[in-house]
Amino acid sequence: MVTNIALPRFAKIGAGAVDDLGTVVAQLGIRRPVLVTDRYLTDTGQVERLVKTLHAAGSEAAVFSETVPDPTITSLSGGLDLVKAHRADGIIGFGGGSPMDTAKALAVLSANGGSIASYKAPNTYTGSALPVVAVPTTAGSGSEATQFTVITDDDSDEKMLCPGLSFLPIAIVVDFELTVSMPARLTADTGVDALTHAIEAYVSRRASPFSDALALAAMRSISQHLRRAYADGADQRAREAMMLASTQAGMAFSNSSVALVHGMSRPIGGHFHVAHGLSNAMLLPAVTKFSIESAVDRYADCAKAMGVVGESVASGQAATALVAELQQLCEDVEVPTPQSYGIDKGDWESRLEIMAEQALASGSPGNNPRVPSKDEIIELYREIY
């Protein structure tokens, strides 16, 4: 079997790497980038720091700081106007998953026009796009290393998965020092998000030995360091390990795809505005329990990589122990249920059918070891409430 692998062309990883952003952009021949970010990073001075490095390297940078959590079709319009007005020849995504997803969408749309809805799965886009350089500030989404973007349809609340090589950044700058100020809640949500990426990449029906190695390495590191980073945000070693693991998990799932957790997670975010990492965390233990019978050995490998059980433990026992560990981890980092998060039960129930339909339409559940029916997805939604 031939495996297709797609990775960023260039990566700069380590403490202080962000100070080399201007040099990276210049080496790529980008002279008029638009830096896509959010208000928080602008207000805290981080954007000014990046703009200075860009200017020092000869780039004429413009800034679009109006990205929103879970970017929508409407939220892209101001960025598209700026890209056009600035005559941009490249896009820099600076922030968590939302700014990076916005940057990817702007890169494709500014080169082609039209609506991002025309790029959603099962379509795969490999045409023209402006080059994207990604600078993550959270250890979770892995978006800097993936050939996907996720944009919400304002009218239907559908979180649209848009795949294809043209959404893959050509260069990434990964500096864990940018994550040290992340609050505990964001650390937890993005950390469990990264773990979900790694586990789903490994059990995906599209997994390969290449993605397996990255996924197992990410799982091993996250299991050792997430609780530490959550308990003490100033723990430099834990922060560095989580940042690298997030990128490894992103590379893994970009090349093997995510599965049922993500398929079910996107509708929760779209309809109830729950952060993506948090909605993944709400689902991960229950979906894993649902799936293990169809891939006992693969889930056992996850448990062993995470140090949950020893190498000699039988697969069935190891897979069961993995579910217990995921439940305990979510408890330790205080992951709420949809109910305790504040979602009304009636509102939840009224949207289960459309959420299940949207989950299946995304294609991600088809990569799961156990491919669910619509009714089984609805029951899983009820179980986690």
Side-chain angles (χ1 to χ4, degrees):
M1 182 181 75
V2 175
T3 301
N4 296 319
I5 302 298
L7 299 169
R9 184 188 307 170
F10 177 78
K12 187 174 283 289
I13 300 173
V18 72
D19 293 324
D20 292 331
L21 175 64
T23 301
V24 171
V25 170
Q27 287 174 342
L28 294 169
I30 299 171
R31 294 291 177 261
R32 299 183 61 82
V34 167
L35 192 154
V36 177
T37 188
D38 57 34
R39 275 290 171 192
Y40 172 78
L41 290 168
T42 302
D43 292 344
T44 56
Q46 296 282 16
V47 169
E48 182 181 4
R49 176 187 178 189
L50 267 62
V51 169
K52 285 181 178 178
T53 71
L54 291 165
H55 287 171
S59 295
E60 297 179 47
V63 176
F64 177 67
S65 60
E66 303 304 316
T67 64
V68 298
D70 299 322
T72 64
I73 293 175
T74 300
S75 75
L76 300 176
S77 59
L80 286 169
D81 291 343
L82 178 59
V83 171
K84 181 179 179 180
H86 188 59
R87 292 178 287 113
D89 59 355
I91 309 290
I92 299 168
F94 177 50
S98 293
M100 286 190 287
D101 279 355
T102 299
K104 294 176 180 183
L106 295 180
V108 168
L109 292 177
S110 62
N112 300 279
S115 170
I116 194 67
S118 63
Y119 297 91
K120 73 177 183 178
N123 297 319
T124 299
Y125 181 67
T126 58
S128 59
L130 291 178
V132 174
V133 178
V135 186
T137 61
T138 63
S141 77
S143 184
E144 70 274 9
T146 74
Q147 51 188 316
F148 310 110
T149 191
V150 179
I151 305 294
T152 300
D153 185 318
D154 304 79
D155 296 327
S156 67
D157 288 329
E158 177 188 2
K159 272 194 165 186
M160 300 177 293
L161 174 67
C162 304
L165 283 174
S166 300
F167 293 105
L168 179 68
I170 64 169
I172 62 176
V173 177
V174 182
D175 187 338
F176 77 88
E177 291 183 335
L178 294 171
T179 71
V180 172
S181 62
M182 280 201 307
R185 179 73 269 142
L186 185 58
T187 298
D189 297 345
T190 55
V192 179
D193 190 19
L195 180 59
T196 305
H197 293 154
I199 292 174
E200 290 210 303
Y202 190 76
V203 302
S204 168
R205 290 169 177 256
R206 296 170 59 188
S208 71
F210 181 89
S211 60
D212 285 352
L214 288 164
L216 290 170
M219 280 182 247
R220 188 173 296 111
S221 188
I222 293 167
S223 66
Q224 293 172 5
H225 296 101
L226 175 53
R227 288 179 175 91
R228 283 175 51 182
Y230 176 73
D232 179 9
D235 186 329
Q236 296 272 316
R237 184 171 294 182
R239 288 294 195 190
E240 183 173 20
M242 286 299 300
M243 194 66 156
L244 178 59
S246 173
T247 298
Q248 289 173 321
M251 290 177 174
F253 87 80
S254 181
N255 288 287
S256 68
S257 192
V258 288
L260 180 55
V261 173
H262 276 73
M264 291 180 65
S265 173
R266 296 186 201 101
I268 295 175
H271 289 273
F272 298 103
H273 308 292
V274 178
H276 172 69
L278 179 55
S279 56
N280 275 346
M282 291 174 172
L283 286 157
L284 181 58
V287 171
T288 301
K289 183 179 180 180
F290 169 84
S291 306
I292 54 173
E293 289 184 4
S294 297
V296 174
D297 290 341
R298 299 293 278 184
Y299 283 110
D301 290 344
C302 296
K304 292 172 184 179
M306 292 170 61
V308 177
V309 297
E311 290 293 330
S312 63
V313 174
S315 291
Q317 183 181 346
T320 300
L322 174 66
V323 175
E325 165 60 12
L326 296 178
Q327 291 169 336
Q328 186 61 54
L329 174 63
C330 288
E331 183 177 326
D332 290 345
V333 299
E334 301 178 271
V335 174
T337 64
Q339 182 179 39
S340 63
Y341 184 78
I343 298 172
D344 177 75
K345 185 174 184 179
D347 198 9
W348 181 262
E349 282 287 331
S350 71
R351 297 178 190 240
L352 293 187
E353 186 162 335
I354 184 63
M355 289 202 302
E357 290 171 355
Q358 290 174 345
L360 287 169
S362 74
S364 297
N367 300 319
N368 206 58
R370 178 181 174 184
V371 179
S373 66
K374 177 181 170 181
D375 287 343
E376 286 173 326
I377 290 178
I378 289 173
E379 284 308 307
L380 282 167
Y381 276 135
R382 288 193 172 120
E383 180 183 337
I384 69 158
Y385 180 82

